[in-house]
Structures are given as structure tokens and as C-alpha cells.
Amino acid sequence: MGDDPGRLYRLDGVAHIACVINDEPRRCISSVRRQQGMRLDERYVSYLQMAGLYHLARLNDRWFRLDEPLVSAFVERWRSETHTFHMPFGECTITLQDVAYQLGLPVDGDYVSGCLTDFHLYIEGGRPAWQWFHELLGVLPPENQVQKFAVNCTWFQETFAECPDGADEETVRRFARAYIMMLLGTQLFADKSGNRIHIRWLPYVARLEEMGRYSWVSAALAWLYRCMCRVANRHVVKLAGPLQLLQSWIFWRFPTLRPSGYDEISWPLASRWSGYNPRISNKGPRVQMARMKIDLLQPRQFIWMPYSALDVIQVVHPKVLEPRHPGCPS
């Protein structure tokens, strides 16, 4: 464990971010997020719906910016051992239901798994990974755009920016695959590089019609937990992952911390805050202010009820989330 008994350490002996608050009262995390720059072509919609990712794609079309000071104050209360926020009134955390309602993703289904380095060994037929990439997407990135098993986002966006008019069905499928890989790599499973798309998604986009059988909710939540645990390390300042989910959850569950003027509810729920543009200056003082607001929170200021009890949305089928609110598109 650590050497200083007065400090807060994680179970792995790494100093927790909360232990440096007094030494660095204005410390603020920085977010790593890239807005997916590929246009949502109507010809991709059927594939996105089959994959259960259509609502996530609609979210991507709306600009989103993270309130880093507010999120930083929440990170200070994250405990890696329990995957919960330790608040003045008790513990709380983001659940599978939160992910489903905030991002409009399917809950039920098979687990999402795979390898980051040796996944090509399990490809059907034993083909090399980049050969499969060429078969599925019709093109290979130049060597200077590849880092191990990841491709630069810029090359992806420039190569698959616009699906040609009059394209045949196979070409549309290739562009849809590229769009989905960008969507997964930037919106749900972004890493701290902020500019790479891992090709581990090839086994999934190879069978577009089967992508809907996976529980993208559980995968996204697990990745967010992992990213939160990493940034809870006092030596880490960059936060990646599904950050739109994290911020929207904070706004929905803590009404006193949400911005004013965003009263229109739409589906998925995270779209409510589209266009929110927090100030990027004076982050240090704003972290201190957010920390103080959290310290003063009362139990009644946390909304613990499920969304259905709030009469916002009704789940009519395990894999189909359908909004009840008249302002929510289906």
C-alpha cells in the first residue's frame, strides 16, 4: 500500500485523486473526445437499426461538450473498489438502465468481447486482420495512417465521408461498416488517444444483421467504469469513454447541478443537453465551486427513482425502447 497513512489509496496501492485535493485544489481533468465527423446517410439507417445503434448515431449529429470541472469533482468521489460515487448522503452509480435510457441502446443480448492485439487469430478462416479489413471495407489505409491495430480517425473520415450517389448495396454496406466502426470508436469506446479507431470491431461489422443481438449497454457501462477507475489515479488527468452518458446522468440525477434552459425532453434522454456549451475558462475555480456544491448536497436533491416512475419513458420490449413523451421521436 502507500507510504502515507493520511492519504487515500486504492486497493492496488495507487494514490487516489482525492488525496491531492488539498495540495492541488484547482486540479481539473481533461476530456478526450472526438465528434464523429461522418454524415449519417439515410442508407445506413436500416443497418444502424438492426445493430441497435440508430439512436446513438442520432446523438452524434448533435454537438456535445463536456463540463470538465463538474465531471472532475465527481471523479474525485469515484471509488474503484465499488464502482460508485461516494456522496455526502451515501453511494450512487450509473446503472444499465441509465445507459439504456440516456443513449437508447439495447440492454438484453450477448456480451461484447474480444482481444485488442491477438483478435485476428480468431477470425473466421484464420485470415490476416488487414486482409479482412480490405474485404469488408474495400480499401486499405496507408502505412502512415496505421498504428498497430488502429487506424487514424482522419483517414477514416476522409475516406468514408460521403457514400457515392447511386452506389450499389455492397458499397453502401461497406460505408455503413465504416460509419459503425467510427461510431463505436468515438462515441462509446473512445480511448485516451482521441484520434484512433481500433479494428477489433471487424468481427461485429462483418455480420451487420447480427449486431443487434449484443448488449451494447453492458459493454458501454463496463468501459465507462474502467475509464473512471483509470482517471481516479492521481497521476492521470485524461478521461475518455462514453462521456456524454456520464454528463447526462449527472444532469438527470442531480437537478441542482444541471444547466438551465434545457427543459425539452427528447429521445434518447442525453439529447436533452445537446448544444450545451460550458465555459472553458477558469476551470480551477469552477472545480472548487462544483466540489462545494456536491459537499452540500442533500438526499432529496438526488433523483433515485427509475425513469418509468418519472413518467418520462416507457420500455415496451426488452430490446425496443419506445418513448412515451410526445416530444420524443420513435
Side-chain angles (χ1 to χ4, degrees):
M1 297 299 289
D3 299 327
D4 186 350
R7 288 191 180 278
L8 178 63
Y9 291 90
R10 307 190 315 189
L11 287 181
D12 57 6
V14 177
H16 193 279
I17 185 177
C19 75
V20 300
I21 292 177
N22 292 332
D23 300 330
E24 305 173 45
R26 297 190 174 190
R27 185 183 192 277
C28 183
I29 58 100
S30 60
S31 58
V32 180
R33 184 181 182 277
R34 185 186 185 97
Q35 194 81 2
Q36 209 253 61
M38 294 162 62
R39 185 176 69 87
L40 176 55
D41 192 298
E42 291 184 359
R43 290 170 290 182
Y44 307 159
V45 171
S46 61
Y47 297 111
L48 289 165
Q49 289 175 330
M50 284 189 292
L53 300 173
Y54 174 60
H55 295 300
L56 183 70
R58 291 177 52 247
L59 269 181
N60 177 71
D61 278 353
R62 309 185 185 197
W63 183 251
F64 156 74
R65 193 182 297 277
L66 190 73
D67 190 334
E68 292 177 349
L70 176 62
V71 171
S72 188
F74 269 84
V75 168
E76 294 170 1
R77 292 181 170 274
W78 179 259
R79 293 300 296 171
S80 304
E81 297 80 8
T82 57
H83 290 161
T84 56
F85 296 101
H86 284 221
M87 309 302 284
F89 51 81
E91 299 181 44
C92 59
T93 195
I94 304 170
T95 67
L96 291 172
Q97 187 191 61
D98 287 312
V99 185
Y101 280 87
Q102 295 294 340
L103 302 183
L105 295 173
V107 179
D108 290 356
D110 297 340
Y111 58 84
V112 178
S113 66
C115 305
L116 294 181
T117 55
D118 298 327
F119 71 95
H120 59 291
L121 298 177
Y122 305 99
I123 292 176
E124 182 179 342
R127 288 167 292 178
W130 292 107
Q131 178 184 333
W132 211 25
F133 185 99
H134 186 265
E135 292 177 10
L136 293 175
L137 299 180
V139 65
L140 277 175
E143 291 185 4
N144 63 353
Q145 297 295 320
V146 176
Q147 301 179 45
K148 294 185 179 179
F149 289 101
V151 183
N152 286 347
C153 284
T154 302
W155 179 85
F156 244 98
Q157 293 184 163
E158 292 176 350
T159 305
F160 299 100
E162 295 283 344
C163 186
D165 292 335
D168 58 30
E169 189 59 29
E170 182 54 35
T171 300
V172 173
R173 288 174 66 89
R174 288 175 175 173
F175 274 75
R177 290 187 182 111
Y179 183 93
I180 290 174
M181 289 180 68
M182 276 287 290
L183 194 66
L184 295 174
T186 58
Q187 302 302 102
L188 285 188
F189 306 105
D191 58 25
K192 291 193 294 184
S193 73
N195 61 2
R196 294 195 295 265
I197 302 299
H198 203 284
I199 65 172
R200 66 176 178 268
W201 304 115
L202 287 178
Y204 295 91
V205 299
R207 303 175 179 84
L208 291 172
E209 290 79 7
E210 299 180 16
M211 286 190 69
R213 67 185 179 92
Y214 293 100
S215 174
W216 295 107
V217 161
S218 56
L221 185 60
W223 184 247
L224 177 61
Y225 281 1
R226 183 176 184 181
C227 292
M228 292 290 289
C229 291
R230 286 175 172 175
V231 81
N233 181 340
R234 64 164 298 187
H235 302 295
V236 178
V237 294
K238 290 186 177 180
L239 174 62
L243 303 183
Q244 194 165 11
L245 161 65
L246 174 59
Q247 179 163 278
S248 186
W249 176 82
I250 293 173
F251 289 161
W252 271 94
R253 295 301 185 182
F254 298 88
T256 60
L257 301 178
R258 68 175 59 154
S260 58
Y262 294 86
D263 301 323
E264 182 178 351
I265 300 174
S266 55
W267 180 259
L269 299 188
S271 62
R272 177 177 180 178
W273 322 106
S274 62
Y276 173 56
N277 190 17
R279 293 182 291 116
I280 60 175
S281 60
N282 300 320
K283 291 184 180 180
R286 289 172 56 213
V287 169
Q288 293 175 298
M289 180 62 68
R291 190 181 298 140
M292 183 181 67
K293 289 181 178 178
I294 294 175
D295 288 342
L296 298 175
L297 283 173
Q298 300 296 316
R300 65 178 182 277
Q301 294 174 309
F302 174 71
I303 298 179
W304 58 268
M305 294 182 293
Y307 297 99
S308 56
L310 298 176
D311 199 31
V312 174
I313 303 274
Q314 181 182 22
V315 180
V316 296
H317 188 275
K319 291 188 177 180
V320 179
L321 303 181
E322 180 177 305
R324 283 177 53 192
H325 191 280
C328 299
S330 58

